[in-house]
Amino acid sequence: MTATVSSALSLVDDQHRVQVSQVNMPPRLLLGPGPSNAHPLVLQSLALRQVGHLDPSFLALMDETQTLLRYAWQTHNRLTYPISGTGSAAMEATFANVIEPGDVVVIGVMGYFGHRMVDMAGRYGAEVRSLHQDWGKVFSLETLRDALETHRPSVLALVHAETSTGARQPLEGVGELCREYDCLLLVDTVTSLGGVPLFLDEWGVDLAYSCSQKGLSCPPGISPFTLGPRAEEKLQARHTKVANWYLDASLLAKYWGSDRTYHHTAPINMTYALHESLRLIADEGLDARWARHQANAELLWEGLEAMGLACHVVRDYRLPTLTTVCIPEGIDGKAVTRRLLQDYNIEIGGGLGDLAGKVWRVGLMGFNSRPENVLLLLTALEQVLSDLGWTSPRL
Ligand SMILES: Cc1ncc(COP(=O)(O)O)c(C=O)c1O
């Protein structure tokens, strides 16, 4: 018997018209923890015609993407390329490649994404030693030294920019410490790349990853990854195969390196988009870009303060890309985010984990880090809060 298309699953009406409309999304201003709005030129590049993933023109684009990525991260690492997937896939790529069952890994948990690292490292058989800090605070060099002295790990993993808290973990001196204790330094730069000063080589970072949808102003789906010489040594000395075929850096290096051996079909148009987003960073210049993020964040902080709203993180460790704003007493945080979205098309985020219900999360990332966005948000927030009956303690 031949199978027939089920009429119960049909999406066509009596006039043979498909009952599903063409995609059409509202014009949101994404000022939350990410995704952030993509730069218009990045969106344009997504619509360019495709070529094959081994086409000479695409191979040249891959080389340039690697060069641009090395610039954005300030690293000479040979193995620097994007992973086909979101930031979590790139996070997984770092752990999968350097962890073998039984390896001791120290993970700094000062927010939601530290917990994700713990989960991931454990799945690859690591003996995880978590180091905890209050959400919104950061680790001191002394605390990190004590942890390395006590646990003698093969990897220390830290989140540079904790998106759940808005705190920036200082990295100066951590690389030297890791060398002293012969361990690798693995860093999450998901909310810092393209918006916060980052010097991977100078800071002795051995492995790092990021995402496309925040400081790079590209849609989500492709994620920067880098693995330095010390991590490469560990990879080459493995006794066991990398437990994740898709993310195995030794296999991926054959496609991204000179062999150009097929591994998986590269996301062609997402690679165009990433290339354009990185080209825009090079065009602006890192110093100018970091200064722009800092200036717009300060504008936001001053505006919030003038309204009588407090930031959760002390100024010295506050991220310019992500600000956690304390929700005032008596205000329903979710009602505010709902109103901002419904009435103003502005998305901001709520708190996660320990900060759920306590903070809003405001992102000023990449293309969206602009004074007009800050002023628009402050005006809308003030109006919504006033509609909800809040009076500023400043009045
Ligand atoms: C610090 C941090 N790490 C990892 C991730 C995971 O990235 P993705 O959601 O792109 O998988 C995120 C996402 O927001 C993040 O903020």
Side-chain angles (χ1 to χ4, degrees):
M1 215 173 87
T2 45
T4 54
V5 174
S6 163
S7 58
L9 295 173
S10 173
L11 297 168
V12 174
D13 67 10
D14 295 344
Q15 277 84 46
H16 302 286
R17 283 184 308 233
V18 179
Q19 292 301 286
V20 180
S21 316
Q22 195 183 354
V23 179
N24 183 18
M25 291 296 161
R28 306 291 197 213
L29 175 59
L30 302 176
L31 297 183
S36 211
N37 294 89
H39 192 291
L41 291 176
V42 172
L43 290 176
Q44 266 180 33
S45 68
L46 266 177
L48 292 174
R49 63 172 78 86
Q50 283 164 251
V51 295
H53 66 279
L54 292 170
D55 190 288
S57 61
F58 190 68
L59 299 180
L61 189 93
M62 287 165 68
D63 284 344
E64 278 183 7
T65 305
Q66 290 187 278
T67 305
L68 289 163
L69 205 42
R70 290 188 189 104
Y71 168 71
W73 252 330
Q74 291 292 287
T75 182
H76 291 91
N77 290 346
R78 182 180 78 90
L79 297 182
T80 300
Y81 48 76
I83 296 287
S84 310
T86 67
S88 305
M91 179 193 275
E92 187 137 4
T94 55
F95 286 106
N97 280 286
V98 294
I99 291 179
E100 290 197 84
D103 281 356
V104 175
V105 175
V106 168
I107 299 181
V109 180
M110 53 174 204
Y112 183 88
F113 292 99
H115 281 294
R116 183 171 296 184
M117 282 179 158
V118 169
D119 186 2
M120 243 176 222
R123 287 170 191 240
Y124 286 96
E127 298 279 336
V128 178
R129 310 279 182 259
S130 320
L131 208 58
H132 288 271
Q133 178 54 287
D134 294 344
W135 287 38
K137 296 195 174 144
V138 297
F139 294 100
S140 68
L141 217 45
E142 296 70 47
T143 306
L144 296 176
R145 175 183 287 282
D146 287 349
L148 298 192
E149 179 67 37
T150 309
H151 302 297
R152 303 283 167 161
S154 56
V155 179
L156 167 67
L158 295 172
V159 179
H160 182 220
E162 189 33 275
T163 326
S164 61
T165 69
R168 180 183 50 81
Q169 170 65 51
L171 293 174
E172 292 85 346
V174 184
E176 280 93 336
L177 202 59
C178 288
R179 272 151 190 78
E180 212 181 305
Y181 286 91
D182 193 24
C183 91
L184 298 174
L185 175 58
L186 187 165
V187 177
D188 177 318
T189 68
V190 165
T191 297
S192 49
L193 184 64
V196 183
L198 255 178
F199 301 94
L200 289 198
D201 284 1
E202 203 176 311
W203 291 346
V205 177
D206 299 295
L207 293 127
Y209 58 88
S210 192
C211 75
S212 51
Q213 72 270 18
K214 302 193 197 228
L216 303 190
S217 305
C218 178
I222 190 163
S223 303
F225 163 85
T226 188
L227 186 146
R230 293 170 78 234
E232 240 188 278
E233 261 174 48
K234 181 148 182 5
L235 176 63
Q236 275 154 14
R238 287 182 69 102
H239 305 291
T240 56
K241 270 189 175 182
V242 172
N244 186 317
W245 179 88
Y246 195 67
L247 301 172
D248 184 336
S250 49
L251 301 179
L252 285 167
K254 292 189 183 137
Y255 176 51
W256 283 92
S258 51
D259 292 7
R260 302 300 188 187
T261 312
Y262 164 72
H263 178 262
H264 68 272
T265 308
I268 308 291
N269 294 49
M270 281 307 296
T271 311
Y272 302 165
L274 179 67
H275 178 282
E276 182 58 11
S277 70
L278 293 166
R279 189 194 67 79
L280 286 163
I281 291 181
D283 188 49
E284 183 173 1
L286 281 175
D287 287 323
R289 193 172 178 98
W290 294 332
R292 171 167 64 84
H293 278 78
Q294 189 64 31
N296 290 321
E298 284 176 12
L299 190 64
L300 173 69
W301 302 338
E302 279 153 27
L304 291 168
E305 204 180 308
M307 276 169 68
L309 292 170
C311 291
H312 176 68
V313 178
V314 297
R315 211 173 171 111
D316 281 356
Y317 302 120
R318 219 177 271 169
L319 281 169
T321 41
L322 194 287
T323 300
T324 37
V325 186
C326 301
I327 300 174
E329 280 283 314
I331 289 292
D332 173 2
K334 281 196 182 141
V336 173
T337 51
R338 220 173 18 244
R339 281 283 308 279
L340 284 173
L341 193 70
Q342 279 168 7
D343 298 352
Y344 297 91
N345 265 318
I346 300 174
E347 179 182 279
I348 65 166
L352 279 180
D354 287 7
L355 296 179
K358 296 182 183 154
V359 297
W360 293 299
R361 291 184 298 152
V362 177
L364 291 174
M365 305 176 182
F367 179 64
N368 276 359
S369 170
R370 318 160 82 79
E372 63 266 36
N373 287 344
V374 174
L375 299 179
L376 189 63
L377 174 66
L378 288 171
T379 311
L381 186 59
E382 192 162 32
Q383 186 61 55
V384 169
L385 284 171
S386 142
D387 291 351
L388 292 173
W390 183 70
T391 42
S392 165
R394 294 274 157 133
L395 293 176

